[in-house]
Amino acid sequence: MTVLGLGAMGSALAGALLAAGRPVTVWNRTPGRADALVAAGVTEAGSVAEAVGASPLVVACLWDHRSVHETLDPVADALAGRTVVNLTNGTPGQGRELGAWAHEHGFALLDGGIMAVPPMIGTPAAFVLYSGPEEAFDVHRAALDAFGESRFVGTDHGMAALYDIALLSAMYGSIMGELHAFAMVRSAGVPAVEFAPLLQRWTTAVGGFHERTAELVDARDYTRDVVSNLGMQAAAYHNLIDAAHEQGVSPELLAPLHALMLRRTAEGHGHEDTVGLIELLLTRR
Ligand SMILES: NC(=O)c1ccc[n+]([C@@H]2O[C@H](COP(=O)([O-])OP(=O)(O)OC[C@H]3O[C@@H](n4cnc5c(N)ncnc54)[C@H](OP(=O)(O)O)[C@@H]3O)[C@@H](O)[C@H]2O)c1
């Protein structure tokens, strides 16, 4: 296997392949980042062409879509007949573009999304999403399993990035709430560590109802079993904004949801579940 890119994630991927007993060749734009891996048995290539030539499976874990093209474009002809697994974060459109480009050059492209941080790689906590040609996934699955659970999510090259971005969006939503909550208590001089157990308890109690939400989303029916209607929540949400102002905390992380709540309520959906806000997000239907 070849791994292009030895940042925090690429190094973890190369290490996991090595730990799984695979021969590993690596390349990194800036030399000197492979030393620990080389000491452990990895081969360092002197150029991208040499690295690509060493293996039928080439994993790219670089900075962004542009750096993937900067690295692979000059060796596109040498990729013919191989499989490239792109684990660089990107958009669905970028995944599709890479897939079409791979097709033009006669190689298979699996686009992926790593749902883990580097220390999780190679543990059961990690999962990696893949999309593209299913035969290529089947052929290389055993090797890819070294990173964590391998999940194939579709032959459309954009699907892995779509799932990845959706999952990351949910994560960042949680981070926004967490940061705002800590800012509120800090504004009153409360140590974050004192508040953290309550935050943990509360987010565990009110989070994780994704399956119920999903049922409403799929049914496009937001009137079922409503226990906390949108109108009531929109009214209470004013207090979140006002309290932030009172405490000298910026409400900018809270404001976008408030705007959606007010719009949806004004459109006559105040009696419905908050899940109905999704209708305002889907601007292209
Ligand atoms: N770390 C995470 O928690 C995590 C989790 C999931 C997904 N990812 C994704 O994994 C990818 C890599 O992340 P990372 O944490 O390894 O980042 P990182 O530690 O900052 O490493 C970035 C890597 O990209 C290389 N690079 C940057 N620009 C380049 C260019 N123009 N041409 C060739 N190589 C270039 C760097 O090479 P140099 O050494 O030469 O600068 C380095 O190897 C990103 O797309 C990231 O979103 C990361």
Side-chain angles (χ1 to χ4, degrees):
M1 324 279 101
T2 285
V3 176
L4 304 175
L6 293 180
M9 187 52 88
S11 298
L13 298 174
L17 288 170
L18 189 69
R22 306 269 172 187
V24 186
T25 298
V26 296
W27 170 87
N28 191 62
R29 178 183 61 174
T30 307
R33 293 189 82 167
D35 296 352
L37 286 164
V38 168
V42 158
T43 303
E44 183 176 14
S47 65
V48 181
E50 189 188 325
V52 162
S55 319
L57 178 64
V58 177
V59 175
C61 189
L62 302 168
W63 183 250
D64 61 4
H65 185 66
R66 180 194 287 218
S67 57
V68 173
H69 268 302
E70 277 175 15
T71 304
L72 294 183
D73 284 4
V75 297
D77 292 341
L79 292 171
R82 301 179 204 276
T83 296
V84 172
V85 177
N86 176 41
L87 296 180
T88 308
N89 188 267
T91 68
Q94 289 170 344
R96 290 181 190 122
E97 186 278 329
L98 267 189
W101 179 73
H103 185 70
E104 269 172 42
H105 288 87
F107 67 93
L109 185 279
L110 286 169
D111 204 54
I114 302 174
M115 305 320 299
V117 293
M120 287 161 64
I121 295 297
T123 75
F127 66 100
V128 185
L129 307 162
Y130 298 95
S131 56
E134 197 160 8
E135 323 80 71
F137 176 74
D138 290 340
V139 167
H140 295 291
R141 184 183 189 146
L144 299 174
D145 280 346
F147 303 146
E149 185 191 340
S150 307
R151 286 258 183 144
F152 186 76
V153 293
T155 53
D156 169 353
H157 282 98
M159 288 310 287
L162 185 85
Y163 274 53
D164 182 350
I165 294 290
L167 292 168
L168 290 180
S169 303
M171 178 188 80
Y172 284 115
S174 302
I175 289 174
M176 286 186 220
E178 181 190 32
L179 288 179
H180 187 83
F182 278 128
M184 287 297 286
V185 295
R186 192 160 101 178
S187 74
V190 178
V193 288
E194 198 175 288
F195 180 70
L198 275 183
L199 179 61
Q200 188 67 55
R201 181 172 167 182
W202 177 242
T203 51
T204 304
V206 296
F209 299 121
H210 305 311
E211 285 174 13
R212 177 184 180 270
T213 301
E215 281 169 19
L216 300 186
V217 169
D218 285 346
R220 299 183 187 202
D221 175 3
Y222 314 111
T223 59
R224 246 190 247 170
D225 307 326
V226 179
V227 289
S228 306
N229 71 59
L230 176 64
M232 174 279 290
Q233 296 209 45
Y237 205 94
H238 270 293
N239 294 330
L240 272 67
I241 305 284
D242 293 347
H245 284 302
E246 280 178 14
Q247 290 299 123
V249 173
S250 167
E252 60 199 300
L253 290 177
L254 300 180
L257 187 60
H258 194 209
L260 290 173
M261 284 179 162
L262 294 178
R263 238 168 83 203
R264 184 82 176 155
T265 307
E267 287 172 7
H269 299 279
H271 62 290
E272 294 182 358
D273 196 288
T274 318
V275 176
L277 292 178
I278 194 172
E279 294 297 336
L280 299 181
L281 299 180
L282 290 158
T283 55
R284 194 183 62 191
R285 278 173 245 189

